[in-house]
Amino acid sequence: MKNWIRFTAIFTLALFTLIGVIVFYQAQKPIGKAEEKAETRAIAEGQLTEITRSYPVNGTRPSITVLGKDKEGRSKAVFVPDGKKGEIQGVLLSEGISPKEALSAVREEMNVSDVIHVHLGTDKSGPYWEVAFTGPDDKLNYVLLNFGDGKTRTKILNL
């Protein structure tokens, strides 16, 4: 009888773990496809020749930020609108502050416990750094900084 209880418990645990892995994998597929399309478009339109990283940014307009190098070998970020509509915008990373500088600016102003990410995005006002972090109270915080000068644009605190 003990063997049947053990078998049932282990089988149930394994089944739920497998279902969890499958659901997580399926949930990540659309993001991966969108990033792939954005990377292809950035290369096809001559914005980048080499890609180092890409990630989604959900600001006022959802987009994929693709980081890489252009024809001259300069580090560049390209903002590809999510979907087929919209122009690609690009910015040389040397024209603004670095992610480390953006994080330092936020740390000087606020108490940061754990950094979630520092992402580059864009909107109608131009490119910005999005710094997501938790404070000492474990609440989620977002700070948007201008890419060019590092001045605070928007704060969303204590979520």
Side-chain angles (χ1 to χ4, degrees):
M1 186 68 175
K2 284 184 180 180
N3 288 337
W4 277 106
I5 293 173
R6 254 189 233 155
F7 172 76
T8 304
I10 292 171
F11 179 78
T12 304
L13 181 63
L15 182 66
F16 282 122
T17 302
L18 180 64
I19 290 171
V21 168
I22 291 170
V23 167
F24 182 76
Y25 177 74
Q26 292 296 326
Q28 294 298 322
K29 267 186 174 180
I31 294 170
K33 286 182 182 178
E35 288 176 2
E36 228 175 88
K37 286 180 184 178
E39 291 172 1
T40 303
R41 187 172 171 198
I43 290 176
E45 293 190 17
Q47 293 282 335
L48 297 174
T49 56
E50 180 184 322
I51 294 171
T52 54
R53 186 173 175 213
S54 62
Y55 48 81
V57 177
N58 293 310
T60 54
R61 294 179 303 153
S63 66
I64 306 292
T65 300
V66 183
L67 303 172
K69 297 198 183 276
D70 64 4
K71 295 174 197 170
E72 288 83 33
R74 300 175 296 186
S75 294
K76 187 175 184 179
V78 176
F79 310 106
V80 181
D82 196 12
K84 295 181 181 179
K85 295 182 181 180
E87 281 187 39
I88 291 181
Q89 297 175 337
V91 65
L92 293 174
L93 295 179
S94 61
E95 293 177 350
I97 65 170
S98 71
K100 288 182 182 178
E101 292 171 322
L103 184 56
S104 293
V106 171
R107 281 196 165 132
E108 284 177 14
E109 193 177 323
M110 303 178 150
N111 195 352
V112 177
S113 291
D114 186 32
V115 177
I116 297 168
H117 69 252
V118 180
H119 284 170
L120 189 58
T122 190
D123 60 13
K124 293 177 184 175
S125 301
Y128 61 85
W129 285 109
E130 175 186 271
V131 181
F133 63 95
T134 57
D137 54 0
D138 286 335
K139 292 188 178 179
L140 182 61
N141 301 285
Y142 289 94
V143 177
L144 304 184
L145 304 169
N146 284 330
F147 172 71
D149 59 12
K151 290 184 180 174
T152 302
R153 219 192 251 192
T154 307
K155 293 180 188 176
I156 304 170
L157 306 173
N158 300 321
L159 296 175

